[in-house]
C-alpha cells in the first residue's frame, strides 16, 4: 500500500534561487544543460509510481494536453477540482491527506513535480523525503522563486553532490519526512 | 602594481539565497559549520593583499573597532567618506575606479568581503574574477538576499565543487572579469 514510498522533488534552480524566469522562458535552463550529461531523469522516471504536482505547474508544463501521463498524477489545486484527463486527478483538500492518498496509489516512489509552493508546503509539513536541486550556473536576476518566505528555518542533510562539465551541480538532501 | 591581482568574493549562503537572517543573527551559520572542516579561510587570508568591503558590512562585522586590519581595507560607501582607522580608507566614488585603486595597493589578490550589493555590483561591472559560495544546508525563510534583482542574466563558469560532512558545499565560479 505504498507505506515505504519515498516522496521526492527535483528542481533546477538558478544561483539566485529562481526556478523560472520572469517571462516564463526556459531558455536559460536549456542553454545550461548538455545532451551528453545524465542528470538522472530516466532513473527518476523508473522509480516513480505517481506524480504530485501543483495546478499552475500542471497547466504550465502542458501536461493537460497529453493523452495520458506515464503514472497516476495528482494535481493539488486551491480551486474546485476540475474535469481531468484519464490518469489525472485534481485534489482541493489538505496536502497531508493527498500524500496519504498518492502513496496508497503506488508501491513505488512519489515525484513532487513542482512548483515551488507545493515543494515548500511538502517540506513544511514534513512530507518530503528527498529534495534534489540542480544548481544552474546563472544569475537570473528575477522570476519565480523556489522557496517562499517562512518564519522558522528548515535544516536539511546533504546526501549527495555531483558536478557536471556544464557547471550544473546536483545537490541531494534528506528532508526529515518519516 | 597589481595588474595580475585577482578579485574574489566568498560568501556563505542559505539554500534559499540569504546571506543573513532577518534579525542579523548568525547562529544558523555557526550551527552549520564544524571546527574540523577546512573551508579555506586561512588560504584566502594568505592570498589577500587588500580588502574591499561595503560600508554596512564593514560596520556590521565590527571591523571599525579593531586597531588595524591585516591588509589595507577599502570601504565602499554611498555617503561621505568617514574618518577611518589606520589601514582603512572610505571611498564614495565609482566602483571601477576603486578596484583600480585597490589593485594598485597590492601585488596580491583582492578579497571583496561583501555585502551582497557590493558583490553584485562587482559582478555587474565585470570586476570580479572568482565567486565562491558556501551553500549551507538550511532554508532560512527570509533575511538579507545575496543577489539583488537585475534585468539580464549573468552566466558563470563552475571551477570547483567541494562538499563537507557538515553538508556545506563550496561552489567556486569564474566570473569573466579580465
Amino acid at each position: 500500500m505504498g507505506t515505504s514510498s519515498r516522496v521526492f522533488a527535483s528542481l533546477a534552480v538558478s544561483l539566485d534561487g529562481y526556478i523560472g524566469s520572469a517571462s516564463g522562458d526556459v531558455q536559460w535552463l536549456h542553454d545550461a544543460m548538455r545532451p551528453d550529461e545524465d542528470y538522472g531523469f530516466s532513473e527518476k522516471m523508473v522509480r516513480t509510481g505517481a506524480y504530485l504536482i501543483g495546478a499552475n505547474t500542471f497547466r504550465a508544463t502542458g501536461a493537460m494536453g497529453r493523452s495520458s501521463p506515464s503514472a497516476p498524477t495528482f494535481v493539488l489545486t486551491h480551486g474546485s477540482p476540475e474535469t481531468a484527463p484519464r490518469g489525472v486527478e485534481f485534489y482541493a483538500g489538505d496536502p497531508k491527506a493527498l500524500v496519504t492518498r498518492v502513496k496508497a496509489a503506488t508501491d513505488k516512489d512519489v515525484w513532487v513535480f513542482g512548483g515551488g509552493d507545493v515543494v515548500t508546503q511538502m517540506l513544511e509539513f514534513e512530507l518530503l523525503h528527498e529534495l534534489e536541486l540542480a544548481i544552474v550556473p546563472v544569475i537570473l536576476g528575477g522570476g519565480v522563486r523556489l522557496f517562499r518566505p517562512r518564519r522558522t528555518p528548515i535544516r536539511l542533510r546533504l546526501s549527495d553532490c555531483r558536478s557536471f562539465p556544464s557547471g550544473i551541480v546536483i545537490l541531494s538532501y534528506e528532508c526529515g519526512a518519516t
Side-chain angles (χ1 to χ4, degrees), chain A residues 11 19 57 114-121 144-148:
Chain A
L11 296 150
I19 53 174
T57 306
D117 271 5
V118 172
V119 171
T120 311
Q121 272 185 67
V144 181
R145 300 214 53 196
L146 166 54
F147 297 108
R148 58 182 186 185

Side-chain angles (χ1 to χ4, degrees), chain A residues 94-154:
Chain A
D94 167 38
K96 285 191 195 187
L98 175 56
V99 168
T100 305
R101 186 187 181 102
V102 176
K103 281 182 166 180
T106 180
D107 285 322
K108 297 169 78 181
D109 292 337
V110 177
W111 190 341
V112 180
F113 215 78
D117 271 5
V118 172
V119 171
T120 311
Q121 272 185 67
M122 294 292 148
L123 264 171
E124 288 174 344
F125 287 120
E126 296 183 7
L127 297 168
L128 198 68
H129 293 89
E130 304 167 26
L131 175 63
E132 183 182 275
L133 297 179
I135 312 284
V136 180
V138 62
I139 297 161
L140 273 185
V144 181
R145 300 214 53 196
L146 166 54
F147 297 108
R148 58 182 186 185
R150 49 175 282 111
R151 294 183 74 86
T152 53
I154 301 176

